[in-house]
Amino acid sequence: MVLLNARSLSPSGDNCHKLGVLKDFVQTTDTPVVSIAVTETWFKGYVTDAQVNIPGYDVYRSDRESRVGGGCALYLHSSLAVSDHVCFSSVCNNMIAVFVDQIKTVFAV
């Protein structure tokens, strides 16, 4: 598992390089990365999943719409079959829980 406090993973602007670095990391690491948890994504609803896609991963998001900052994302390797997921967002908190039955695991951020 990889955990990143991104302080903006925005696909445009001054921070767009962070997403590229994350993509490069997971594609070049010798050990396969099963999940990537990202806090402080700063994503908003107008940012599409396609804009923040990492090839080979499915993305689950909880965006903070009410103010600057916040938000989280969980990228899971596409080989994992997700049976259910829950997203929570409030003024102060964001959370995602993803359930993977095949390995009897819950990934959360």
Side-chain angles (χ1 to χ4, degrees):
M1 176 179 199
V2 171
L3 172 62
L4 171 66
N5 183 345
R7 199 165 183 270
S8 183
L9 200 61
S10 176
S12 61
D14 294 338
N15 293 308
C16 65
H17 68 281
K18 291 180 184 179
L19 185 58
V21 169
L22 184 58
K23 287 178 183 181
D24 289 346
F25 172 77
V26 298
Q27 292 172 349
T28 59
T29 185
D30 292 335
T31 305
V33 177
V34 174
S35 66
I36 306 163
V38 184
T39 60
E40 294 292 333
T41 60
W42 295 17
F43 293 159
K44 301 294 182 202
Y46 58 81
V47 175
T48 67
D49 289 349
Q51 289 177 284
V52 295
N53 177 55
I54 297 177
Y57 292 83
D58 298 316
V59 63
Y60 300 86
R61 298 168 37 179
S62 181
D63 301 341
R64 182 177 292 165
E65 297 292 340
S66 60
R67 64 180 199 194
V68 175
C72 58
L74 184 59
Y75 291 87
L76 282 184
H77 197 273
S78 298
S79 65
L80 297 176
V82 172
S83 60
D84 196 9
H85 73 282
V86 176
C87 293
F88 171 80
S89 181
S90 72
V91 174
C92 298
N93 297 296
N94 294 85
M95 184 201 79
I96 304 166
V98 176
F99 305 90
V100 181
D101 286 341
Q102 72 194 70
I103 57 174
K104 295 181 173 62
T105 301
V106 175
F107 293 94
V109 60

